[in-house]
Amino acid sequence: MALSLSADEEDYDSESEQQREANRPKPKMGTSAAVKLPSNRSASGARRRRTRCRKCEACLRTECGECHFCKDMKKFGGPGRMKQSCIMRQCIAPVLPHTAVCVVCGEAGKEDTLEEEDKFNVMLMECSICNEIVHPNCLKVKEASGVVNDELPNCWECPKCNYAGKTGKVCKQKRGPGFKYASNLPGSLLKEQKAVKEEGEATSTSTAKRKPEGDEISRHRPEEREPLHRHPPVLTPSTLPRPRPEDKLRKKRKLFDDDEEEDFSVRKKGKADEPLFPKLLHQIKTEEEDQEEEVDEEETDSLFWRGLERRDRLEDTEDWAEDGDGKDTKTNFPRPPLKTPVLDSDQSHCSSPQAGPSSEGGSEPQEKGPRPKARRKRRLPNKELSKALNQEIQKTEDCLANENRQPLKVEPESENEEPKRGFRIGSDLGGERPHLRTKEMNGTPWELRHFYPSQITPLGFNRSSPGTRPLPPRSPPKCVQMERHVIRPPPISPPPDRLPLVDGKTHAVQREVWMKLFGHFTHKELCVCMRVCKTWNRWCCDKRLWTNIDLNRCKSITPLMLSGIIRRQPLSLDLSWTNISKKQLSWLINRLPGLRVLLLSGCSWVAVSALCTSSCPLLRTLDVQWVEGLKDAQMRDLLSPPTDNRPGQLDNRCKLRNILDLRLAGLDITDASLRLIIRHMPLLSRLDLSYCNHINDHSVNLLTAAGTTTRDSLTEINLSVCNRVTDQSLTFFKRCGSICHIDLRYCKQVTKMACEQFIAEMSVSVQFGLKEDKLLQKLS
DNA sequence: CCTAACGTATCG
DNA sequence: CGATACGTTAGG
């Protein structure tokens, strides 16, 4: 044994032992050297490129046509330089190419020839450390055991490397060959996620997550909610926002965002011992029952959301409630196993109809094979994993709006999709089902509902009272934010139609009926439902139930939330007064091609600037009220076409050209911004400029001038508390063909008389009325 | 031969 | 450091 081991070492590792152990750098000698041919491979280092499994949901999708990489493709009119696959199609489980052979015996994988049990030893396994591809059976090293990486088919840390103790380091360094977390995505969090891994993979995400937020918030800002209840007029526009004291706080927040040390400390607190040895954790995890695991897998999503909601209310977040995205999270701590309250039985029934990753890398017989013993690196055997992945994906399936489909072509997937027209939203704001709205209004904590009633509270300023900008909570420590996540596209296949019961029968009530019921639940309640069983879990993930996701004032935006959002593919997303970072936002936007409504009021300009580089062509409503630091210059960045105008690169149109509803309350913008808006938003129908100190009659003149599109497109304008606006503006509004709603409340220089005169003069064509003092509304 | 796209070098 | 470019591989 020892003999063979050393022989192997000699054989494989001859060239540069040290070099490899120092991060095992790929020989960097130019692009062409990246991959060597099999012949060369025996002297480790070079790696075989992996290829699509062609079976996973991602592989089965069609290109979205919307994402960064699609836009680059020739077929979508791009220059084709980037040569990357569509974001939505990034394979979940890239496989070894068919041509891969065992470095020892020179033969291909033979897993097809055997029963499950014995497959492992005859299938090809690629070592994520030395990159060798071997049949475990062909290895001479029998003593040491390999460590199977369940996240990637046919991937392990081979016994040799494992024996040589390279695991830990490499583990930190690298996920494994071919494992691509959409790493090329612009604005991807992945790199940071990787970085975090490098810093200490084993860090418990759960402990790391332990309420880093909250305490400070409440400490600093006991009056946080205050503004909501304050009436705008109380705060004279002259004293308008920009509360400077908060600048400091903001900076602090930003510091937290970027400050690594903070993370470390938190992390350390969480798990002081052995932070660098993920294996330990994996082993711990391995003890758990698969069945149970699966429940967890299914639950996590809902747990996460539940955790999220709960966290908003209570500070004593329990870790397990949110850390357990088993597929995504490599590092999990054992936690109190969650018993699904009801209907446990159906776990096994709703496995994915679609195939998972093709090869069952290191499947079942973990300790079984007599030979190279392979420990599980992850909790789930690969098969389970892929199943779980698929289920996870399917969960999202319905979340992908029909509208989200790229408009350029009709997707053939529709055969898989049941008709949802009944639920389809007609317009942006119509997205929320009324009953859901009321529900939330009544039954959920204010965090969930306070955003809604803009029509209800006076002036509709409730979300943006200028007096005190509620300080968005600071971001969670990086270790939380950067938790690793596989980018998983929303699923294609539909969830099961019937609910399997314990006795093997199915429940009498069909999914669509359940769905109707679910439709009456708040998101919070849905999260509870999602914990019932897998089937409910998937049903509850139906995008129809999540058209509008509200994270307004959510204390911290975590990676789990981000992926939860992606899976649900909401049409409307409220991130107002959150501490979302630029990176997070651009990551989100890039993955929500169908997003219609984006509310970012009270976020920092830094974050909002993510919109400058991402495109969201379908965006109809953009709320950037009270965005600190958003002035004319930033507005220009936001509205101007992409600067990269290389031929065929991108369209020159404004990224926000389809905006219908723009909310700019409380911004220090001037006519310069208005000109841009007029030029670049031809469809603009509703414009909120309340509390904009620089807006005056001339601005209104611009908006309503002959030749502008806004003149005809504007239906609603809010100029309340714009003190430079005078009666003169009303005469300008007479030119507007479609105007229905003019809000001039609390404009000191607007008189009631002028309003009445406006009504009188307009009455020839349109009947207007005074709904409130200086609030003009078309009567119909 | 072609297209797709992986993985890394390199740019800004 | 994120974004982009591109040589080269995989598969047909």
Side-chain angles (χ1 to χ4, degrees):
Chain A
M1 285 309 165
L3 189 71
S4 53
L5 174 66
S6 56
D8 281 353
E9 287 286 331
E10 199 73 70
D11 190 3
Y12 298 126
D13 287 297
S14 45
E15 14 167 46
S16 61
E17 187 72 34
Q18 304 143 326
Q19 180 198 350
R20 205 169 315 112
E21 76 126 15
N23 275 1
R24 187 179 44 101
K26 215 110 284 131
K28 295 196 174 168
M29 44 172 98
T31 0
S32 57
V35 184
K36 283 279 149 51
L37 291 167
S39 59
N40 226 349
R41 295 194 69 257
S42 57
S44 75
R47 232 179 57 209
R48 211 162 235 290
R49 184 188 281 193
R50 284 186 175 239
T51 187
R52 287 190 171 283
C53 71
R54 291 139 52 82
K55 291 178 183 169
C56 71
E57 302 267 358
C59 286
L60 294 172
R61 298 194 82 86
T62 54
E63 274 140 349
C64 74
E66 292 281 330
C67 72
H68 197 64
F69 297 137
C70 278
K71 282 181 178 154
D72 167 74
M73 296 175 192
K74 288 231 166 78
K75 70 171 96 163
F76 294 111
R81 276 189 288 242
M82 294 169 72
K83 302 188 219 167
Q84 300 294 308
S85 100
C86 167
I87 285 169
M88 302 300 252
R89 294 193 65 239
Q90 289 188 340
C91 179
I92 287 161
V95 298
L96 292 172
H98 296 142
T99 51
V101 291
C102 173
V103 85
V104 178
C105 71
E107 292 184 46
K110 293 172 265 193
E111 54 267 42
D112 299 340
T113 64
L114 290 175
E115 293 304 308
E116 286 287 298
E117 308 289 296
D118 306 312
K119 271 186 182 176
F120 173 75
N121 282 320
V122 298
M123 72 200 304
L124 287 175
M125 293 300 287
E126 179 189 34
C127 176
S128 56
I129 298 168
C130 66
N131 297 325
E132 279 168 15
I133 299 174
V134 294
H135 297 118
N137 253 351
C138 292
L139 279 182
K140 294 173 236 166
V141 191
K142 317 298 188 205
E143 299 300 81
S145 54
V147 180
V148 173
N149 178 352
D150 282 320
E151 297 192 3
L152 192 64
N154 304 59
C155 176
W156 71 343
E157 289 167 11
C158 72
K160 273 183 300 141
C161 293
N162 194 30
Y163 181 84
K166 298 176 188 170
T167 337
K169 285 172 222 146
V170 175
C171 209
K172 278 184 295 169
Q173 186 213 354
K174 194 162 195 278
R175 178 106 326 265
F179 207 86
K180 184 180 176 192
Y181 292 106
S183 53
N184 282 332
L185 297 183
S188 169
L189 292 178
L190 300 172
K191 287 181 181 164
E192 286 181 65
Q193 288 157 3
K194 210 175 356 174
V196 168
K197 281 178 68 64
E198 282 163 24
E199 286 152 18
E201 173 167 2
T203 307
S204 153
T205 52
S206 50
T207 43
K209 236 176 228 175
R210 197 184 302 275
K211 53 171 177 185
E213 70 282 318
D215 4 49
E216 297 89 341
I217 309 296
S218 37
R219 218 181 298 135
H220 287 316
R221 320 226 5 124
E223 75 291 8
E224 188 177 343
R225 304 177 182 191
E226 189 72 25
L228 293 180
H229 309 305
R230 226 175 267 166
H231 286 245
V234 175
L235 307 136
T236 62
S238 48
T239 60
L240 223 94
R242 302 302 101 90
R244 289 313 157 192
E246 280 176 7
D247 286 356
K248 217 182 278 173
L249 286 176
R250 242 181 212 277
K251 280 211 186 83
K252 180 174 173 197
R253 180 190 78 183
K254 189 166 181 306
L255 262 180
F256 277 128
D257 276 348
D258 302 352
D259 192 358
E260 298 270 48
E261 282 181 39
E262 170 79 0
D263 307 343
F264 285 132
S265 63
V266 174
R267 233 180 272 146
K268 251 177 232 145
K269 206 191 327 169
K271 164 105 177 137
D273 46 331
E274 301 294 295
L276 293 179
F277 292 96
K279 270 202 223 168
L280 191 68
L281 289 171
H282 299 310
Q283 278 170 317
I284 293 171
K285 259 330 217 187
T286 311
E287 318 286 87
E288 295 183 21
E289 291 281 314
D290 280 343
Q291 171 86 9
E292 205 170 298
E293 295 279 337
E294 268 200 68
V295 180
D296 284 2
E297 299 284 351
E298 283 298 314
E299 278 182 345
T300 48
D301 206 31
S302 63
L303 281 176
F304 155 68
W305 285 86
R306 198 190 56 171
L308 154 77
E309 291 181 352
R310 187 171 40 172
R311 191 171 26 193
D312 274 340
R313 261 182 293 0
L314 326 164
E315 299 303 294
D316 65 337
T317 313
E318 294 157 61
D319 298 325
W320 57 265
E322 38 182 327
D323 75 346
D325 197 331
K327 294 151 303 300
D328 295 349
T329 315
K330 189 156 184 177
T331 54
N332 272 320
F333 269 170
R335 55 172 181 248
L338 274 174
K339 270 289 134 208
T340 25
V342 232
L343 302 169
D344 271 318
S345 61
D346 74 21
Q347 303 319 333
S348 53
H349 296 265
C350 47
S351 63
S352 116
Q354 302 269 353
S358 59
S359 21
E360 344 240 62
S363 338
E364 287 55 59
Q366 345 181 354
E367 301 296 330
K368 169 163 202 320
R371 302 292 228 40
K373 291 159 285 179
R375 273 171 290 142
R376 300 241 72 85
K377 184 153 193 176
R378 260 195 98 235
R379 338 181 282 164
L380 294 175
N382 228 8
K383 201 169 156 199
E384 300 288 326
L385 173 77
S386 47
K387 194 167 109 190
L389 282 176
N390 275 317
Q391 284 168 350
E392 183 67 26
I393 288 167
Q394 281 172 1
K395 271 195 289 187
T396 346
E397 142 73 4
D398 293 328
C399 299
L400 190 68
N402 293 322
E403 303 95 320
N404 285 353
R405 310 285 185 186
Q406 50 126 338
L408 300 179
K409 59 184 178 198
V410 180
E411 299 244 0
E413 294 153 13
S414 43
E415 89 253 357
N416 279 331
E417 301 231 341
E418 52 273 291
K420 305 168 175 165
R421 311 292 151 178
F423 272 90
R424 283 185 68 163
I425 64 165
S427 68
D428 310 321
L429 294 173
E432 310 93 341
R433 288 147 298 141
H435 55 268
L436 185 60
R437 266 184 111 138
T438 19
K439 263 281 180 187
E440 287 183 347
M441 298 278 297
N442 297 335
T444 58
W446 68 273
E447 287 90 342
L448 287 178
R449 64 184 126 108
H450 72 276
F451 188 79
Y452 283 134
S454 63
Q455 307 89 325
I456 292 168
T457 49
L459 289 179
F461 290 144
N462 55 326
R463 58 185 177 273
S464 56
S465 173
T468 14
R469 324 163 43 93
L471 179 74
R474 68 176 176 81
S475 296
K478 220 168 213 166
C479 53
V480 174
Q481 292 188 346
M482 301 316 163
E483 192 185 331
R484 226 187 77 262
H485 283 279
V486 181
I487 309 308
R488 231 174 290 126
I492 300 165
S493 53
D497 197 43
R498 297 278 185 163
L499 184 64
L501 297 175
V502 196
D503 55 11
K505 294 174 191 155
T506 54
H507 197 284
V509 179
Q510 277 179 295
R511 179 167 62 112
E512 282 310 304
V513 182
W514 284 115
M515 292 301 295
K516 289 216 173 70
L517 295 172
F518 290 145
H520 292 278
F521 293 166
T522 63
H523 284 175
K524 185 183 154 200
E525 289 159 345
L526 277 179
C527 287
V528 175
C529 294
M530 288 178 77
R531 301 178 56 223
V532 170
C533 67
K534 280 186 172 181
T535 305
W536 273 34
N537 186 292
R538 290 183 52 200
W539 290 351
C540 288
C541 238
D542 192 306
K543 74 174 169 65
R544 292 171 287 178
L545 302 169
W546 297 90
T547 52
N548 175 34
I549 292 182
D550 184 353
L551 294 173
N552 193 317
R553 282 168 218 257
C554 181
K555 296 213 162 116
S556 65
I557 304 294
T558 64
L560 268 180
M561 291 180 185
L562 298 182
S563 57
I565 295 168
I566 302 294
R567 270 172 230 150
R568 289 164 175 80
Q569 291 285 312
L571 300 177
S572 164
L573 180 59
D574 186 354
L575 294 164
S576 302
W577 305 99
T578 63
N579 229 351
I580 192 161
S581 68
K582 176 176 182 174
K583 193 170 297 185
Q584 287 177 317
L585 185 58
S586 73
W587 191 88
L588 263 182
I589 295 170
N590 278 316
R591 287 162 185 77
L592 296 172
L595 194 64
R596 305 300 175 91
V597 180
L598 180 58
L599 309 180
L600 296 170
S601 62
C603 293
S604 67
W605 162 250
V606 179
V608 172
S609 67
L611 289 170
C612 298
T613 45
S614 308
S615 94
C616 20
L618 296 183
L619 201 61
R620 305 285 169 79
T621 297
L622 178 63
D623 182 344
V624 288
Q625 307 177 81
W626 306 105
V627 164
E628 176 117 348
L630 176 40
K631 300 179 181 176
D632 285 338
Q634 290 72 24
M635 210 63 186
R636 191 178 342 109
D637 291 343
L638 213 47
L639 290 176
S640 47
T643 45
D644 185 355
N645 282 332
R646 285 169 293 179
Q649 172 67 359
L650 291 163
D651 57 302
N652 285 356
R653 293 168 297 175
C654 167
K655 300 170 284 268
L656 300 170
R657 60 183 173 277
N658 288 320
I659 293 288
L660 301 174
D661 183 350
L662 184 62
R663 304 178 194 167
L664 303 173
L667 300 182
D668 285 334
I669 52 166
T670 70
D671 292 349
S673 288
L674 283 187
R675 287 197 185 90
L676 288 171
I677 290 166
I678 291 165
R679 191 159 93 218
H680 293 298
M681 294 185 172
L683 307 175
L684 190 64
S685 167
R686 296 157 58 143
L687 181 59
D688 184 352
L689 292 168
S690 55
Y691 292 93
C692 290
N693 250 348
H694 302 289
I695 298 302
N696 53 30
D697 292 336
H698 186 248
S699 319
V700 178
N701 190 12
L702 283 178
L703 283 171
T704 59
T708 61
T709 47
T710 37
R711 177 183 190 146
D712 293 315
S713 64
L714 271 184
T715 61
E716 286 184 34
I717 185 145
N718 189 344
L719 294 169
S720 52
V721 207
C722 291
N723 282 317
R724 298 195 186 180
V725 171
T726 74
D727 289 345
Q728 168 91 65
S729 285
L730 276 171
T731 61
F732 293 139
F733 280 125
K734 288 179 204 159
R735 314 155 166 174
C736 290
S738 320
I739 199 82
C740 302
H741 183 106
I742 307 169
D743 192 343
L744 295 167
R745 285 175 296 174
Y746 309 99
C747 292
K748 287 178 187 160
Q749 303 198 55
V750 174
T751 63
K752 193 169 183 184
M753 236 172 57
C755 293
E756 279 158 0
Q757 192 185 342
F758 175 87
I759 292 171
E761 287 176 23
M762 290 297 281
S763 64
V764 188
S765 52
V766 198
Q767 201 50 251
F768 268 86
L770 264 183
K771 229 189 156 193
E772 245 183 71
D773 192 32
K774 304 181 209 171
L775 172 57
L776 295 152
Q777 194 153 17
K778 189 173 157 186
L779 306 174
S780 53

